[in-house]
Amino acid sequence: MRISGTHYRTIWSTDSGAVRVIDQSRLPFELVTLDLETVADAAHAIRTMVVRGAPLIGATAAYGIALAARADPCDSHLAEAARTLQATRPTAVNLAWALRRMHNVLAELEPHRRADAAWHEAAAICDADVEQCRSIGRHGLDVMRALAAKAGARLNILTHCNAGWLACVDWGTALAPVYMAHDAGIPVHVWVDETRPRNQGAALTAFELGAHGVPHTVVADNLGGHLMQRGQVDMVIVGSDRTTAAGEVCNKVGTYLKALAAHDNGVPFYAALPLSTIDWSLEAGEAIPIEERSPQEVTHITGRSAAGRIETVRLVPESSPALNLAFDVTPARLVTGLITERGVCAASRAGLQRLYPDQPAAVE
Amino acid sequence: MRISGTHYRTIWSTDSGAVRVIDQSRLPFELVTLDLETVADAAHAIRTMVVRGAPLIGATAAYGIALAARADPCDSHLAEAARTLQATRPTAVNLAWALRRMHNVLAELEPHRRADAAWHEAAAICDADVEQCRSIGRHGLDVMRALAAKAGARLNILTHCNAGWLACVDWGTALAPVYMAHDAGIPVHVWVDETRPRNQGAALTAFELGAHGVPHTVVADNLGGHLMQRGQVDMVIVGSDRTTAAGEVCNKVGTYLKALAAHDNGVPFYAALPLSTIDWSLEAGEAIPIEERSPQEVTHITGRSAAGRIETVRLVPESSPALNLAFDVTPARLVTGLITERGVCAASRAGLQRLYPDQPAAVE
C-alpha cells in the first residue's frame, strides 16, 4: 500500500541480494528499513518484532531459509536454520507453514541448486500472500457492502491489533476489505484498539490507515464494549495468528473480550485469514501454545517526547511484577464468520471443510 | 492505610486550616501532598484527577463547600460553589450526594454558623466513609473466605481501575476486603488491570497493594479474559461510580468487558460500593451520563524515564484522532452480587431494597 504516495511492501529483496524490511518497531514515528543478510538477522527481526503479523512472519522465515541456503545449502545447516527460525515465536502457525513449504521444495534438490530455488520460493510465498490478501479483501468487501447498506450514514468497523498490510506483505487480512471499501466509496470509519501492551493498533493500524486516508479513531482497548452498547460499532474484524480446524480463532490478546461484547450486542464478528493460518492438526483452541513475552512490554512503554526524542518510560512501580501473554483464543461460537481467500464460511469444521475440501483434516 | 509504615488517609485538614490531599497524579513515582485553600482549588483537584475515585470525589467536594463557607457563607456564594464543584465530573454520583448533604446541613443555619458546621460535616463525611469502607471490607471478606476455601492454593482476584484506599478516604471499596483477607492470612493474589488510558491500576492499585505487601501482578487490560479461560481468576471485584436502583453498575471503562468474560467462564463478579454510590433516581444504566475526557489521555502517556525524569510521550501518529470515554455500564445480569456497608445483595431492585428499606426508591 502507499505511504505518502509511494507504494511499499513490507518485505522485498534488494539488487544487492539482501532482504529489506520496514522496521516496524520504529513506527509510527520513523519510517526506516533494515537489511537482513543472514538467517540470524531474520530470526532477530522476527523475535524483536521488527517484523510481526502472522503472514509477514511466515514470509520473513522463508527469506531466512533463502539466506541460510545461500550461506551453506547442506541439509544440516538448513535444518539448523529452520530450528532457529521456528523458535522465534511460538503462536503464529504461518511460521511453521512457511518453513515446511521451504523444506518440501529444497529437500528434493541437489545442494548446489538450493540457493536459487529458495530465493525463488520465498518470493513466490510473498507474491502468493499478496494475492491471497487481495482475495480476502474482495470477499470481505462483499460482507462490508451488505452491512453498509444496513448501517446508514457510515459503517463503523472495530479492529484489534494490526492485521493490515504491515502484518502481511501487502493489503493485509482484516484491513484489506477496509481499504477496498474505502476506495469503492463506502463511508467506512475504523475504531482502532490501541492494543496494549505493544500498541500495534495505536502505532501501526493508525499509521497505515492514516497514510491511506481512511477515517479512523484510536481508542483504549477498554472502550470497545461501551461503543457496542451505544450502537456505534457495526462490525468487528480481526486477523488471526492460528485458527483451528474447528474454527477457534487465536489472535492478539484482548480479541476474546471484543468477541464477547460483539456477541452480547448483536454485532457481527469476523476473522480474516489465509489458508496458511489454519492449523488442521488442532481442534480445540486450548491446545494452542500462547507466547509469553517480556514483562517489560507491560511495565514500560515507548513514545515520542515533546522534544522529539523516542523515549521509553516506566509505568508501573519498580517493585510490582507484570505478566505478558500475547494471545488469546476466541471460541468459534462467538465468531460470525471466517473470511478467507476462498470466500466466507462459518467458524466450524464443516465451514472450513466446505472451502478447503483439498486440505488434510487431521483431527476428526 | 500504610505507606512505608506510616498511616495515611487520602484527605485531611491541617492545623493551619487547609485541606491536604495526596496528589495522585504524581503516583506511583512521587508521594507528594497538595494543600487546597479555596473552592477553586478543590474543583481543580477533582477535575485534574489529583483526587479521584467516587468516594474521595465526594469527600473533596464536601471540603470544597467548607472552604467556600469560610470565605463567604451567604446562600448565593455557597450555591455558586456547589455548581462549580458539581461541574467537575459528571459520572460519579457521590459528588452530587455530598453536595446535597452539605446543603441540607448548611441551609438551615444562620450564615455566621455555617463555616464551622461545614468543616465539621466534611470531616464527618470522611469519617463515615472510613467506617463504610471498613464494613464493606468485612462483608467482602466473608465472600473471599468462602471462595478461598474452594480455590485451593491461592485466591486469584482480578480488579479493574483503582477502588482501593486511594479512591476513598481509607480502606477502599473493592480492595478493603483484599486487605482484610491478606491480613487474616488468606493467600490472596491480585491481577491488577493497568486500566488504560489513565493507568490507575498500574499506577495506583499496584502502588497501594505493594505498599501494604499484598502479592499482585500487573497485566494489560486485554489479558483478563484469557486468564479466566485458563482458570486463573477465582473472583472479579471492582468499585462503582454510580449504581442504579436496579443494580446496573457504572464503573471505569472496560469493566463491562471483564464482567462478560467472568460470566462466560463462571467466575463470580462483584461490585463493592457504599450507599452514596447508589442513584435511586435511575433504573437503566443507559441513562447515566458518561464523561468524555481529553483525547490526549489516549494519545499520550506519562511515566518515568531511565534517567529518572517524569516524561510524557506521544503514542499515536500526530494525524490520528482519539476518543476517550471514561466509564461504561455493566448490566445487572452480569453481576453476581453487590457488596455494600450493609451486606451483600443481588444486583437488582429487590436486592437493594432488602438492604436499604429506609431509602426512597424513586423509580418503580
Side-chain angles (χ1 to χ4, degrees), chain A residues 194 196 216 256 264 314 320, chain B residues 194 196 216 256 264 320:
Chain A
E194 65 173 345
R196 284 280 292 148
H216 65 282
Y256 166 55
D264 200 45
R314 172 174 266 278
S320 291
Chain B
E194 64 173 344
R196 282 283 291 149
H216 65 283
Y256 166 54
D264 200 46
S320 291

Side-chain angles (χ1 to χ4, degrees), chain A residues 28-29 160 191 193-197 199 202-203 206-207 210 216-230 232 253-258 260-262 264-265 286 290 298-306 309 311-331 333-334, chain B residues 28-29 160 191 193-197 199 202-203 206-207 210 216-230 232 253-258 260-262 264-265 286 290 298-306 309 311-331 333-334:
Chain A
F29 302 116
H160 190 71
W191 296 111
D193 272 2
E194 65 173 345
T195 318
R196 284 280 292 148
N199 276 32
F207 172 81
H216 65 282
T217 305
V218 178
V219 291
D221 300 307
N222 285 318
L223 186 57
H226 182 63
L227 290 173
M228 293 186 217
Q229 288 180 311
R230 287 187 168 202
Q232 293 182 306
V253 70
T255 301
Y256 166 55
L257 294 170
K258 295 302 145 60
L260 285 167
D264 200 45
N265 292 281
E286 297 82 28
I290 301 294
V298 176
T299 57
H300 292 68
I301 200 165
T302 300
R304 185 156 63 180
S305 72
R309 283 191 309 274
E311 289 256 16
T312 297
V313 295
R314 172 174 266 278
L315 303 172
V316 169
E318 300 279 349
S319 56
S320 291
L323 176 67
N324 183 16
L325 301 173
F327 300 92
D328 64 22
V329 177
T330 297
R333 65 186 151 86
L334 302 177
Chain B
F29 302 115
H160 190 71
W191 296 112
D193 271 2
E194 64 173 344
T195 319
R196 282 283 291 149
N199 276 32
F207 172 82
H216 65 283
T217 304
V218 177
V219 291
D221 300 309
N222 285 319
L223 186 57
H226 182 65
L227 291 173
M228 293 186 216
Q229 288 179 311
R230 286 188 169 201
Q232 293 182 306
V253 69
T255 300
Y256 166 54
L257 295 170
K258 294 302 145 63
L260 285 167
D264 200 46
N265 291 281
E286 296 82 30
I290 300 294
V298 176
T299 57
H300 292 68
I301 200 165
T302 301
R304 185 156 63 180
S305 73
R309 284 190 310 273
E311 289 257 17
T312 297
V313 294
R314 172 175 266 277
L315 303 172
V316 169
E318 301 278 349
S319 56
S320 291
L323 176 67
N324 182 17
L325 301 173
F327 300 93
D328 64 21
V329 177
T330 297
R333 64 185 151 86
L334 301 177

Side-chain angles (χ1 to χ4, degrees), chain B residues 145-170:
Chain B
R145 221 186 272 283
L147 289 171
K150 284 200 287 184
R154 69 178 189 179
L155 185 69
N156 283 301
I157 300 162
L158 185 140
T159 193
H160 190 71
C161 197
N162 174 262
W165 73 269
L166 290 169
C168 303
V169 177
D170 204 351

Side-chain angles (χ1 to χ4, degrees), chain B residues 279-298:
Chain B
D279 184 346
W280 299 100
S281 77
L282 291 184
E283 188 86 359
E286 296 82 30
I288 298 173
I290 300 294
E291 178 177 5
E292 181 173 343
R293 297 184 59 85
S294 166
Q296 184 151 342
E297 294 182 352
V298 176

Side-chain angles (χ1 to χ4, degrees), chain B residues 26-288:
Chain B
R26 311 277 284 272
L27 289 175
F29 302 115
E30 297 173 317
L31 178 65
V32 290
T33 59
L34 194 72
D35 284 1
L36 314 178
E37 310 270 3
T38 66
V39 64
D41 290 348
H44 186 260
I46 297 171
R47 194 180 310 106
T48 59
M49 297 179 65
V50 162
V51 294
R52 24 64 56 200
L56 178 55
I57 288 171
T60 308
Y63 268 118
I65 293 295
L67 291 166
R70 194 168 60 191
D72 176 356
C74 78
D75 285 352
S76 65
H77 184 247
L78 292 182
E80 174 64 26
R83 274 195 299 276
T84 300
L85 290 162
Q86 180 60 55
T88 51
R89 303 280 312 268
T91 299
V93 77
N94 312 57
L95 178 53
W97 171 89
L99 293 172
R100 203 163 52 240
R101 177 164 159 175
M102 295 299 286
H103 175 81
N104 290 347
V105 167
L106 301 186
E108 311 222 324
L109 300 176
E110 296 291 311
H112 73 275
R113 294 185 52 213
R114 286 175 176 169
D116 282 356
W119 208 258
H120 180 266
E121 191 65 15
I125 284 177
C126 289
D127 289 344
D129 186 74
V130 175
E131 288 315 308
Q132 278 183 329
C133 286
R134 201 191 309 270
S135 294
I136 288 171
R138 289 196 185 115
H139 293 298
L141 175 59
D142 292 342
V143 174
M144 288 185 186
R145 221 186 272 283
L147 289 171
K150 284 200 287 184
R154 69 178 189 179
L155 185 69
N156 283 301
I157 300 162
L158 185 140
T159 193
H160 190 71
C161 197
N162 174 262
W165 73 269
L166 290 169
C168 303
V169 177
D170 204 351
W171 283 108
T173 52
L175 296 190
V178 172
Y179 290 120
M180 290 184 187
H182 175 78
D183 290 349
I186 297 172
V188 292
H189 165 262
V190 183
W191 296 112
V192 177
D193 271 2
E194 64 173 344
T195 319
R196 282 283 291 149
R198 284 190 63 104
N199 276 32
Q200 293 96 333
L204 305 178
T205 299
F207 172 82
E208 64 168 88
L209 290 175
H212 194 84
V214 179
H216 65 283
T217 304
V218 177
V219 291
D221 300 309
N222 285 319
L223 186 57
H226 182 65
L227 291 173
M228 293 186 216
Q229 288 179 311
R230 286 188 169 201
Q232 293 182 306
V233 181
D234 300 304
M235 175 190 196
V236 179
I237 189 166
V238 296
S240 174
D241 292 79
R242 191 185 304 211
T243 298
T244 74
E248 313 258 288
V249 175
C250 182
N251 191 46
K252 182 62 52 195
V253 69
T255 300
Y256 166 54
L257 295 170
K258 294 302 145 63
L260 285 167
H263 189 259
D264 200 46
N265 291 281
V267 174
F269 179 97
Y270 287 91
L273 51 111
L275 168 62
S276 54
T277 303
I278 303 168
D279 184 346
W280 299 100
S281 77
L282 291 184
E283 188 86 359
E286 296 82 30
I288 298 173

